[in-house]
């Protein structure tokens, strides 16, 4: 598979991340990650594995937080044919109102698995002025 095809698939994975979040689908959201994924929230909580990601997001998805479409073009850098580092922007709305204080830079490690591309790691950092 070419890096162009992989890039298209990884962009699709990012789109599904937003879709499953906004649909409140914690199971579908967690399935975008490897079974042993490392997931670090913006406030430093380290979730270990798909089960913890699903459980934590099940409650979070009951809130009024929805992801907004990012205007940042994801940077996808292939380390090998089966591993890529992805850096993109993120933002969200609360009760339908965009909240600039929730703007983030998000870093993923994407891994090609027998089931397709999945995220093996996630790290969310809030963007703040120093």
């Amino acid at each position: 598979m070419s890096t162009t095809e992989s890039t298209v698939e990884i962009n699709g994975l990012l789109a599904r991340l937003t879709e499953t979040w906004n649909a409140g689908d914690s199971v579908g959201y967690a399935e975008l990650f490897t079974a042993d994924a490392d997931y670090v929230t913006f406030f430093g909580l380290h979730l270990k594995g798909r089960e913890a990601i699903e459980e934590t997001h099940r409650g979070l998805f009951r809130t009024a937080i929805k992801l907004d479409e990012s205007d940042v073009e994801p940077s996808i850098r292939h380390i090998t044919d089966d591993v890529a580092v992805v850096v993109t922007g993120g933002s969200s709305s609360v009760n339908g109102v965009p909240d600039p204080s929730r703007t983030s830079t998000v870093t993923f490690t994407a891994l090609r698995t027998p089931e397709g591309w999945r995220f093996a790691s996630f790290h969310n950092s809030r963007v703040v002025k120093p």
Side-chain angles (χ1 to χ4, degrees):
M1 178 176 291
S2 73
T3 56
T4 301
E5 290 172 308
S6 294
T7 297
V8 168
E9 289 185 24
I10 293 167
N11 276 312
L13 193 62
L14 288 167
R16 288 196 306 279
L17 195 81
T18 299
E19 291 166 7
T20 54
W21 179 295
N22 289 343
D25 180 1
S26 60
V27 173
Y29 184 83
E31 287 175 353
L32 302 175
F33 295 86
T34 60
D36 61 348
D38 287 289
Y39 189 107
V40 180
T41 68
F42 78 92
F43 55 87
L45 177 65
H46 182 190
L47 304 174
K48 292 182 154 248
R50 187 183 288 150
E51 186 175 313
I53 294 168
E54 191 280 324
E55 181 180 320
T56 300
H57 286 82
R58 188 178 328 129
L60 180 61
F61 289 169
R62 292 187 193 117
T63 69
I65 300 169
K66 300 294 181 192
L67 299 182
D68 297 328
E69 293 295 323
S70 177
D71 56 359
V72 175
E73 182 70 27
S75 167
I76 300 173
R77 182 170 58 94
H78 288 81
I79 305 300
T80 70
D81 290 342
D82 299 324
V83 178
V85 173
V86 181
V87 180
T88 191
S91 60
S92 58
S93 297
V94 179
N95 291 317
V97 178
D99 183 351
S101 73
R102 300 180 62 80
T103 300
S104 296
T105 298
V106 186
T107 306
F108 301 87
T109 305
L111 177 67
R112 187 193 324 266
T113 72
E115 295 78 37
W117 284 91
R118 296 292 183 269
F119 295 124
S121 72
F122 169 99
H123 189 269
N124 183 357
S125 297
R126 288 285 195 248
V127 176
V128 295
K129 287 190 175 187

